[in-house]
C-alpha cells in the first residue's frame, strides 16, 4: 500500500530569535509536516521560557484534539513533553497523549508493530512494507531525544519509493525509555543485532539521525550484517560537540574540552560547581535533568563522563562497510570542523562519501531540517548505487 505522506515544508525560519533550542524544535516539527506552520507562527512570539512554551502548546494540543486533527494534536503534546521536567506527571501524560493520538491517526495505515526481546525488556518497532518486492531494508533510528513516531514522515517517503523500513526506539529513546526504563548505551550493536536476529534480516542499511549517526557507525563496527551506513549527522565526538559554542575558533573548543576533562578528575568539586550554576540557569538545568533521564546518570560528573563515551574515534578503524556522512554548514549541534575529521577517520571502509549541505540549498541546519526531500533523495540515490 501507499503510506500516508505528510507535506514537507522547505525553508528554515526564525520563529524565535535564537540559534537552537526552541527555534530548532519548531522548525523540526513544521518541516516534517507534523505541525501547522500558521499555528506555530501564532504562538512563537509569546514564548519566553518553559512556562509559556508549555501553556501555549497545551492549548494548541487540546484545540487540535477537540477538532479531531490528530497528528497536529499528537505533535503539540510531544512539544509539551519535550521540555517537561523528567520524571513528572506532566511529561508522562504528554508522552502518552502523543503516542495514543499518533496511533489513532495511523490506524488505517498498514504499519506493523513489533516488540523485540532485549535484555529483560523489549525494543518497540514500527515496520512499513512497500508495494511489491522491496528494494532493500532500511533501519532508521533517532539519537538523543527523538521518538520513532517523529521519524514516520521520513520512513513513509522511503517506503513509498520501494524500501522496507523499520523504525525503532533503542535504549534511551521513546517507548524503550518510557515503558521499559532502558537507558542510552554507546554499545548500539547490541540492540541493532537483536532486531536483525528477530526479523531474520541481512544486507541492511542503517540510517542514524542526529546523535544516531554516531550510534549507527558504532553499530556497524561490530555488526557486519549492516552493509551500508548513513550518518545523518555523525557526532564524531559528542564531548567536543558539547564543549564548542557557535562561532568559537577551533582551538577554543579543544581547550574547553581539555578543561572539562581536567575538571572531571575532581568529581565532588565538579558536581558542587555545576549544581550551583544550575540553580540560576533554567535551560542548563533542563539539559542536565533530561540528560540524566536518558543516560541513567545520577550526578553531573557521571553525566559528562557518559557523554564522552559517545564518539566514533575508538571504532572508526573497525568500519568496513559503505558509509555516507551527511552534515550542514550551519549545524548548531555538530561543529562543521569535525566533518572532514570523520571522513578521514574511516580509512578501512569499503567506500566513504560525504555531503555538506549549504544555506543556499536550505539544508545547512542540523539533520538538514529545512529541506528534508533534498537529503532523503540523496540517501536514496546513494543507497541504490551501493546496493
Amino acid at each position: 500500500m501507499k503510506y500516508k505522506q505528510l507535506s514537507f515544508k522547505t525553508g528554515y525560519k526564525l520563529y524565535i530569535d535564537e540559534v537552537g533550542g526552541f527555534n530548532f524544535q519548531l522548525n523540526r516539527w513544521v518541516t516534517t509536516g507534523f505541525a501547522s506552520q500558521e499555528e506555530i507562527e501564532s504562538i512563537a512570539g509569546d514564548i519566553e521560557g518553559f512556562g509559556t512554551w508549555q501553556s501555549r502548546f497545551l492549548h494548541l494540543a487540546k484545540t487540535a484534539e477537540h477538532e479531531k486533527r490528530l497528528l497536529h494534536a499528537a505533535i503539540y503534546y510531544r512539544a509539551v513533553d519535550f521540555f517537561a521536567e523528567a520524571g513528572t506527571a506532566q511529561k508522562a501524560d504528554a508522552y502518552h497523549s502523543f503516542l495514543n493520538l499518533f496511533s489513532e491517526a495511523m490506524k488505517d495505515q498498514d504499519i506493523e508493530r513489533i516488540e523485540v526481546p532485549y535484555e529483560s525488556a523489549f525494543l518497540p518497532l514500527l515496520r512499513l512494507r512497500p508495494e511489491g518486492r522491496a528494494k532493500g531494508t532500511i533501519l532508521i533510528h533517532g539519537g538523543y531525544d527523538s521518538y520513532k513516531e517523529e521519524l514516520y514522515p521520513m520512513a513513509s517517503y522511503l517506503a513509498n519509493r520501494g524500501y522496507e523500513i523499520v523504525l525503532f526506539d533503542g535504549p534511551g529513546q521513546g517507548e524503550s525509555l518510557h515503558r521499559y526504563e532502558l537507558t542510552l548505551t554507546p554499545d548500539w550493536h547490541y540492540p541493532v543485532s537483536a532486531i536483525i536476529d528477530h526479523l531474520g534480516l541481512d544486507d541492511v542499511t542503517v540510517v542514524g539521525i542526529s546523535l544516531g549517526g554516531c550510534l549507527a557507525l558504532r553499530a556497524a563496527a561490530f555488526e557486519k550484517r549492516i552493509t551500508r551506513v548513513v550518518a545523518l549527522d555523525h557526532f564524531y565526538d559528542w564531548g567536543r560537540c558539547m564543549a564548542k559554542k557557535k562561532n568559537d575558533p577551533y582551538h577554543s573548543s579543544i581547550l574547553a574540552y581539555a578543561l572539562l576533562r581536567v575538571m572531571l578528575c575532581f568529581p565532588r568539586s565538579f558536581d558542587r560547581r555545576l549544581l550551583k550554576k544550575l540553580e540560576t540557569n533554567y535551560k542548563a538545568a533542563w539539559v542536565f535533568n533530561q540528560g540524566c533521564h536518558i543516560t541513567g546518570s545520577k550526578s553531573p560528573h557521571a553525566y559528562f563522563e557518559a557523554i564522552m563515551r559517545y564518539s566514533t574515534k575508538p571504532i572508526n578503524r573497525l568500519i568496513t562497510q559503505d558509509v555516507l556522512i551527511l552534515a550542514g554548514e550551519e549545524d548548531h549541534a555538530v561543529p562543521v570542523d569535525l566533518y572532514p575529521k570523520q571522513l578521514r577517520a574511516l580509512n578501512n571502509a569499503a567506500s566513504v562519501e560525504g555531503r555538506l549541505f549549504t544555506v543556499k540549498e536550505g539544508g545547512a541546519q542540523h539533520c538538514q531540517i529545512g529541506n528534508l526531500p533534498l537529503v532523503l533523495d540523496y540517501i536514496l540515490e546513494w543507497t541504490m548505487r551501493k546496493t
Side-chain angles (χ1 to χ4, degrees):
M1 68 171 291
K2 282 283 188 180
Y3 288 94
K4 180 188 297 183
Q5 182 64 62
L6 278 64
S7 298
F8 291 132
K9 298 286 187 184
T10 57
Y12 191 85
K13 298 196 64 172
L14 195 65
Y15 296 106
I16 299 174
D17 190 8
E18 60 165 17
V19 175
F22 293 152
N23 192 63
F24 177 77
Q25 299 308 325
L26 298 179
N27 274 278
R28 179 162 74 96
W29 295 318
V30 169
T31 294
T32 55
F34 265 118
S36 160
Q37 184 167 327
E38 292 74 20
E39 288 184 312
I40 294 301
E41 289 175 341
S42 74
I43 67 165
D46 298 331
I47 295 173
E48 298 176 346
F50 291 157
T52 48
W53 173 282
Q54 304 290 16
S55 63
R56 298 304 183 271
F57 270 108
L58 190 58
H59 176 72
L60 287 184
K62 291 182 184 241
T63 300
E65 187 175 9
H66 177 73
E67 295 173 355
K68 305 299 182 185
R69 293 184 287 119
L70 302 183
L71 285 179
H72 283 162
I75 209 63
Y76 298 148
Y77 278 117
R78 166 58 173 142
V80 174
D81 158 55
F82 192 90
F83 284 116
E85 185 178 348
T88 62
Q90 181 190 45
K91 188 172 188 67
D93 291 346
Y95 172 72
H96 290 302
S97 294
F98 159 73
L99 198 63
N100 293 337
L101 286 164
F102 176 87
S103 298
E104 178 67 18
M106 293 296 170
K107 66 182 180 182
D108 61 338
Q109 302 292 292
D110 188 19
I111 301 176
E112 186 178 0
R113 297 177 180 276
I114 303 169
E115 290 203 326
V116 173
Y118 179 76
E119 295 183 349
S120 59
F122 296 91
L123 301 172
L125 278 59
L126 301 177
R127 180 155 68 176
L128 289 68
R129 298 177 184 269
E131 294 180 324
R133 183 181 179 87
K135 296 177 182 177
T137 300
I138 302 177
L139 304 185
I140 303 178
H141 60 82
Y144 185 54
D145 49 16
S146 62
Y147 300 155
K148 63 185 183 302
E149 293 80 13
E150 292 179 285
L151 308 179
Y152 169 83
M154 301 173 71
S156 60
Y157 190 92
L158 299 175
N160 287 338
R161 285 154 180 79
Y163 286 86
E164 175 188 21
I165 307 298
V166 177
L167 293 172
F168 69 94
D169 285 330
Q173 301 170 343
E175 287 186 274
S176 292
L177 177 64
H178 281 273
R179 290 181 60 190
Y180 299 115
E181 299 182 347
L182 294 171
T183 54
L184 195 66
T185 175
D187 300 322
W188 205 247
H189 57 289
Y190 289 129
V192 170
S193 295
I195 291 166
I196 290 175
D197 286 343
H198 189 82
L199 299 181
L201 301 176
D202 196 13
D203 186 24
V204 302
T205 302
V206 171
V207 178
I209 299 169
S210 191
L211 180 63
C214 172
L215 298 174
L217 289 166
R218 291 184 62 91
F222 303 102
E223 175 50 82
K224 298 307 175 181
R225 288 170 293 183
I226 300 171
T227 50
R228 289 161 298 278
V229 191
V230 179
L232 185 47
D233 260 323
H234 51 88
F235 276 87
Y236 173 73
D237 186 336
W238 192 12
R240 275 282 312 280
C241 294
M242 291 283 281
K244 186 176 183 351
K245 297 179 181 178
K246 187 176 175 63
N247 299 324
D248 274 358
Y250 176 69
H251 69 272
S252 177
S253 67
I254 294 177
L255 291 174
Y257 190 40
L259 178 61
L260 176 60
R261 283 190 170 278
V262 170
M263 292 172 65
L264 286 172
C265 294
F266 306 93
R268 288 186 180 179
S269 174
F270 181 86
D271 288 354
R272 186 169 58 252
R273 286 171 177 267
L274 186 59
L275 290 172
K276 184 69 174 176
K277 182 178 180 180
L278 297 182
E279 291 177 2
T280 56
N281 189 325
Y282 73 93
K283 284 191 176 180
W286 174 82
V287 170
F288 170 67
N289 290 329
Q290 178 73 354
C292 288
H293 177 57
I294 290 170
T295 62
S297 304
K298 304 298 184 185
S299 65
H301 77 270
Y303 171 59
F304 280 93
E305 286 174 349
I307 283 174
M308 290 180 180
R309 298 177 63 199
Y310 294 85
S311 169
T312 65
K313 290 192 291 185
I315 53 83
N316 281 314
R317 62 186 175 79
L318 302 175
I319 297 173
T320 56
Q321 299 93 323
D322 294 308
V323 181
L324 176 61
I325 304 294
L326 303 171
E329 65 180 8
E330 288 200 341
D331 192 317
H332 72 276
V334 183
V336 71
D337 60 65
L338 295 182
Y339 167 67
K341 287 180 175 291
Q342 181 60 80
L343 292 176
R344 289 195 300 268
L346 295 163
N347 49 24
N348 290 325
S351 70
V352 181
E353 188 170 324
R355 177 74 154 83
L356 182 65
F357 293 89
T358 66
V359 173
K360 186 176 180 180
E361 295 173 301
Q365 301 297 327
H366 185 55
C367 299
Q368 285 59 72
I369 294 302
N371 199 339
L372 288 179
L374 176 68
V375 71
L376 291 173
D377 287 342
Y378 196 88
I379 291 171
L380 280 170
E381 188 273 333
W382 178 84
T383 303
M384 290 176 67
R385 281 194 283 113
K386 298 300 178 180
T387 301

